[in-house]
Amino acid sequence: MQHFKAHLHDEAGTAALGAALARALLPGLAIHLHGDLGAGKTALTRALLHAAGHAGTVKSPTYTLSEPYSIELDGRQVNVIHFDLYRMGSAEEFLDAGFREEFNGDNICIVEWPEKADPVLPPPDLSVFLHVAGLGRDVELQALSDLGLLCLNRLTFAPNL
């Protein structure tokens, strides 16, 4: 499966998709999250991290630009770095902060507002597009690499109809 689309009827649907993505995670994944303010990017990431085993608070890295989390994945400690580039002034800030080194094949990097770091941001394995649709969200996932394809093929999610 290279492509997945669903309608999430409410916040519980977003949380369920985050949990499903947590079960499909693979070390080295780069996930780009696209959507307007309030589309559910942070909510999806929060649900994913909690389902992956992070017990603490998941803060939006709006001001810090990145927040690291450690999870266990298949018996191995893996770092998940959650980036929110909304307040970044230029792509050079991404390089100056040393963020590019986090995309190293071991960490899982989840990036909100990836367009703020074009063209220096490493390409995604998986792109997630969230759009407000009534009281819910339309979501589309696109695999853009072999690793992203493997992740989507591992995804088991059936939205409430």
XYZ file of all heavy atoms in Angstrom, residues 42 45-46 48-50 52-61 64 66-72 77-83 107-108 110:
263
model
N -0.368 17.898 16.087
C 0.177 17.625 17.422
C -0.644 16.557 18.127
O -0.086 15.688 18.808
C 0.242 18.918 18.249
O 1.106 19.851 17.578
C 0.799 18.658 19.639
N 0.470 13.244 16.865
C 1.799 12.912 17.398
C 1.710 12.515 18.865
O 2.345 11.551 19.299
C 2.760 14.103 17.215
O 2.812 14.437 15.819
C 4.154 13.771 17.716
N 0.922 13.240 19.636
C 0.748 12.927 21.058
C 0.184 11.513 21.224
O 0.686 10.720 22.026
C -0.178 13.971 21.689
C -0.373 13.801 23.183
C -1.213 14.932 23.772
N -0.465 16.188 23.691
C -0.876 17.268 23.010
N -2.021 17.251 22.354
N -0.138 18.353 23.002
N 0.328 9.048 19.084
C 1.347 8.106 18.618
C 2.379 7.846 19.724
O 2.699 6.695 20.022
C 2.026 8.673 17.373
C 3.119 7.851 16.704
C 3.178 8.193 15.223
C 4.475 8.117 17.323
N 2.882 8.907 20.339
C 3.909 8.755 21.378
C 3.370 8.016 22.600
O 4.048 7.149 23.153
C 4.482 10.115 21.766
C 5.440 10.700 20.741
C 5.655 12.191 20.970
C 6.777 9.963 20.785
N 2.160 8.346 23.028
C 1.583 7.638 24.181
C 1.366 6.165 23.856
O 1.683 5.291 24.663
C 0.289 8.308 24.633
C 0.532 9.567 25.394
N -0.356 10.619 25.393
C 1.565 9.970 26.168
C 0.118 11.590 26.144
N 1.293 11.222 26.618
N 3.045 4.453 21.795
C 4.365 3.825 21.651
C 5.049 3.615 22.997
O 6.143 3.063 23.051
C 5.249 4.680 20.739
N 4.415 4.070 24.085
C 4.945 3.786 25.411
C 5.429 4.976 26.196
O 5.847 4.829 27.345
N 5.393 6.180 25.645
C 5.818 7.351 26.413
C 4.720 7.690 27.412
O 3.586 7.970 27.035
C 6.103 8.549 25.494
C 6.470 9.771 26.259
N 7.688 9.899 26.890
C 5.786 10.902 26.521
C 7.734 11.064 27.498
N 6.583 11.697 27.292
N 5.057 7.668 28.702
C 4.057 7.858 29.747
C 3.903 9.311 30.173
O 2.904 9.677 30.775
C 4.416 6.998 30.959
N 4.865 10.148 29.873
C 4.827 11.529 30.338
C 4.062 12.452 29.420
O 3.375 12.038 28.487
N 4.204 13.715 29.715
C 3.563 14.763 28.923
C 4.208 14.843 27.546
O 5.415 14.689 27.408
C 3.728 16.122 29.645
O 3.154 16.025 30.941
C 3.048 17.237 28.885
N 3.399 15.091 26.551
C 3.892 15.348 25.197
C 3.570 16.809 24.895
O 2.410 17.165 24.708
C 3.248 14.413 24.153
C 3.708 14.794 22.746
C 3.588 12.961 24.457
N 4.609 17.637 24.925
C 4.431 19.065 24.703
C 4.566 19.381 23.219
O 5.332 18.741 22.507
C 5.496 19.862 25.457
C 5.513 19.632 26.949
C 6.590 20.464 27.609
C 7.959 19.916 27.264
N 9.060 20.605 27.915
N 3.846 20.389 22.791
C 4.042 20.884 21.435
C 5.353 21.661 21.425
O 5.552 22.550 22.244
C 2.896 21.802 21.021
O 3.186 22.378 19.765
N 6.263 21.337 20.527
C 7.553 22.035 20.500
C 7.510 23.354 19.716
O 8.450 23.716 19.036
C 8.481 21.016 19.842
C 7.589 20.206 18.972
C 6.248 20.175 19.651
N 10.295 25.544 21.349
C 11.610 24.894 21.437
C 12.047 24.314 20.097
O 13.202 23.946 19.936
C 11.583 23.760 22.477
O 10.595 22.803 22.101
C 11.295 24.291 23.872
N 11.984 21.523 18.868
C 12.072 20.062 18.887
C 11.941 19.544 20.317
O 12.337 20.221 21.268
C 13.384 19.571 18.266
O 14.462 19.791 19.135
N 11.382 18.368 20.436
C 11.264 17.661 21.722
C 11.636 16.203 21.486
O 11.055 15.548 20.628
C 9.838 17.728 22.278
C 9.426 19.067 22.834
C 10.127 19.449 24.127
O 10.564 18.542 24.880
O 10.241 20.654 24.378
N 12.621 15.696 22.234
C 13.008 14.287 22.086
C 12.249 13.391 23.070
O 11.941 13.795 24.187
C 14.497 14.311 22.437
C 14.610 15.440 23.429
C 13.561 16.449 23.052
N 11.972 12.187 22.631
C 11.318 11.168 23.457
C 12.033 9.852 23.208
O 12.492 9.592 22.099
C 9.838 11.022 23.089
C 9.062 12.301 23.253
C 8.927 13.191 22.185
C 8.496 12.638 24.467
C 8.232 14.384 22.335
C 7.797 13.828 24.628
C 7.678 14.699 23.560
O 6.996 15.876 23.706
N 12.102 9.027 24.230
C 12.698 7.706 24.079
C 11.595 6.666 24.252
O 10.844 6.710 25.232
C 13.789 7.498 25.128
O 14.390 6.241 24.962
N 11.499 5.756 23.289
C 10.509 4.681 23.357
C 11.223 3.355 23.120
O 12.351 3.331 22.633
C 9.372 4.856 22.332
C 9.923 4.798 20.893
C 8.606 6.142 22.584
C 8.867 4.663 19.819
N 10.558 2.275 23.466
C 11.088 0.951 23.161
C 10.346 0.419 21.949
O 9.117 0.415 21.910
C 10.923 0.010 24.344
C 11.638 -1.303 24.133
C 11.642 -2.170 25.371
O 12.029 -1.678 26.442
O 11.237 -3.336 25.240
N 15.736 0.581 22.376
C 15.450 1.988 22.656
C 15.638 2.800 21.379
O 16.663 2.675 20.700
C 16.365 2.528 23.753
C 16.029 2.034 25.140
C 14.621 2.387 25.586
O 13.829 1.499 25.859
N 14.287 3.660 25.628
N 14.638 3.587 21.062
C 14.660 4.427 19.868
C 14.256 5.835 20.271
O 13.320 6.017 21.056
C 13.681 3.885 18.791
C 13.631 4.809 17.591
C 14.073 2.478 18.367
N 14.955 6.814 19.744
C 14.591 8.208 19.978
C 13.579 8.646 18.935
O 13.756 8.378 17.746
C 15.818 9.120 19.904
C 16.762 8.888 21.055
O 16.333 8.694 22.191
N 18.041 8.896 20.774
N 12.541 9.312 19.413
C 11.572 9.957 18.535
C 11.759 11.455 18.759
O 11.650 11.936 19.884
C 10.119 9.548 18.864
C 9.137 10.292 17.970
C 9.936 8.041 18.724
N 12.058 12.158 17.692
C 12.245 13.603 17.779
C 11.034 14.252 17.112
O 10.774 14.030 15.930
C 13.536 14.085 17.065
C 14.726 13.188 17.369
C 13.797 15.549 17.398
C 15.193 13.162 18.768
N 10.301 15.038 17.887
C 9.113 15.745 17.389
C 9.518 17.195 17.114
O 9.897 17.926 18.015
C 8.008 15.675 18.443
C 6.755 16.394 18.062
N 5.835 16.783 19.006
C 6.248 16.792 16.872
C 4.826 17.387 18.407
N 5.062 17.403 17.107
N 9.447 17.576 15.853
C 9.791 18.931 15.431
C 8.526 19.707 15.107
O 7.607 19.172 14.487
C 10.648 18.909 14.147
C 11.988 18.261 14.300
C 12.152 16.916 14.004
C 13.083 18.990 14.725
C 13.391 16.317 14.130
C 14.323 18.400 14.850
C 14.484 17.058 14.557
N 16.945 7.346 14.522
C 15.860 8.110 15.132
C 14.618 8.082 14.250
O 14.708 7.935 13.031
C 16.272 9.579 15.310
C 17.390 9.758 16.305
O 17.583 8.938 17.189
N 18.121 10.845 16.160
N 13.489 8.260 14.886
C 12.244 8.512 14.170
C 11.998 10.006 14.296
O 11.957 10.544 15.404
C 11.074 7.708 14.773
C 11.337 6.206 14.615
C 9.754 8.113 14.133
C 10.392 5.323 15.402
N 9.538 13.196 13.447
C 8.192 13.627 13.082
C 8.226 15.140 12.973
O 8.579 15.825 13.934
C 7.164 13.167 14.134
C 7.199 11.641 14.282
C 5.771 13.667 13.767
C 6.375 11.109 15.430
